[in-house]
Amino acid sequence: MDDPEIPEASKLTRSKQRWASEGKFLTGRIARPGSERLPPGQHLVKDWPVLDLGRQPDVSTDRWRLEVKGLVERPLTLDWAAFQALPQTRATSDIHCVTTWSRYDNEWLGVRTRDLLELVHPRDEAAAVMLHGYDGYTTNVLLSDFAAEDAMIVHGWAGKPLTREHGGPARLVIPHLYFWKSAKWIAAIELLGADRPGFWEVNGYHMRGDPWAEERYG
Ligand SMILES: Nc1nc2c(c(=O)[nH]1)N[C@H]1C(S)=C(S)[C@@H](COP(=O)(O)O)O[C@H]1N2
Ligand SMILES: [Mo]
């Protein structure tokens, strides 16, 4: 853990780094995308585990800002009122965490990433996105994955405000990728010309993270 922005590695963070280097949880089974709801090597849970780097930033909606920057024609900083004024979407999707738990039927409320992108006008050369959390966390996705139809910046879960432990006041959700790509306490969305590794990707996780292809480790 050399990144000065990241707090000292928690026990779980160190275990996850070791699992990545050992290829833990790989079944070697390839599912045909879309053919099975539960991706290979995953098991279902009913509760919702909490995973983070050992720090859960306390960001009030007064202080909260979301910056959209980088390769966009119209950079944008939203405060909470402006975020709430955007078209609000309700959608249900599944969570697949690389540590092998999956949770079905999460009811989200928030703003579709597509609706957000429409406001900022990505430049032609934009190809990837770096997500930044208020805790210093980063994770990368391709712009095409970020702009997936069901990808959202959410602030509600199961009819209630998203709790702080799960990334409230607002987090990203990209249902078709492993959940480490879904940045909690989202602070900035940075469009890039080329894909670059974020925190877990530097520490052995896959650049893309497709659960059905078991893209756990890079
Ligand atoms: N900002 C931030 N986002 C993050 C993380 C983090 O440590 N910080 N952890 C990731 C990982 S590894 C997972 S599995 C999920 C966990 O989300 P949850 O705690 O709501 O289950 O958040 C992802 N997003
Ligand atoms: Mo994770």
Side-chain angles (χ1 to χ4, degrees):
M1 302 267 285
D2 296 316
D3 190 329
E5 286 185 317
I6 301 292
E8 196 190 321
S10 70
K11 225 172 142 184
L12 178 61
T13 303
R14 286 197 299 272
S15 298
K16 287 165 81 178
Q17 286 170 325
R18 197 177 61 246
W19 295 340
S21 70
E22 292 168 354
K24 196 174 160 85
F25 306 136
L26 289 174
T27 66
R29 206 153 59 76
I30 300 289
R32 263 169 299 144
S35 64
E36 291 169 49
R37 185 170 182 185
L38 192 66
Q42 297 293 113
H43 69 276
L44 270 184
V45 299
K46 291 274 179 240
D47 59 344
W48 185 5
V50 172
L51 288 99
D52 52 55
L53 299 174
R55 189 169 65 188
Q56 299 178 343
D58 189 359
V59 189
S60 67
T61 52
D62 283 353
R63 197 167 70 81
W64 184 86
R65 297 288 184 278
L66 176 60
E67 229 189 317
V68 190
K69 60 185 184 182
L71 297 177
V72 295
E73 300 295 348
R74 300 184 193 172
L76 181 68
T77 302
L78 296 167
D79 63 11
W80 192 252
F83 176 59
Q84 294 294 322
L86 297 178
Q88 300 290 314
T89 299
R90 278 176 204 283
T92 300
S93 63
D94 301 342
I95 296 171
H96 306 295
C97 175
V98 71
T99 60
T100 76
W101 60 269
S102 293
R103 190 181 188 287
Y104 286 168
D105 294 326
N106 297 277
E107 296 170 28
W108 306 112
L109 172 63
V111 174
R112 281 154 45 103
T113 56
R114 285 190 180 182
D115 291 335
L116 197 58
L117 288 171
E118 231 172 74
L119 297 175
V120 297
H121 297 204
R123 294 208 201 136
D124 287 345
E125 59 273 30
V129 183
M130 187 67 77
L131 291 319
H132 301 262
Y134 276 95
D135 58 344
Y137 184 81
T138 55
T139 188
N140 58 293
V141 292
L142 294 176
L143 180 56
S144 52
D145 284 322
F146 180 77
E149 196 180 357
D150 54 357
M152 300 168 71
I153 310 292
V154 303
H155 58 84
W157 177 82
K160 289 176 289 250
L162 184 70
T163 58
R164 172 178 166 189
E165 59 179 1
H166 287 300
R171 74 173 300 160
L172 179 64
V173 170
I174 302 184
H176 73 284
L177 298 178
Y178 283 122
F179 210 35
W180 88 78
K181 298 290 188 179
S182 292
K184 296 160 74 164
W185 311 290
I186 191 157
I189 296 166
E190 182 185 9
L191 276 70
L192 305 170
D195 202 13
R196 266 206 325 253
F199 174 75
W200 278 119
E201 294 80 10
V202 166
N203 284 281
Y205 281 20
H206 199 276
M207 286 293 274
R208 176 138 190 269
D210 174 357
W212 287 273
E214 262 199 297
E215 292 175 342
R216 297 180 192 274
Y217 313 119

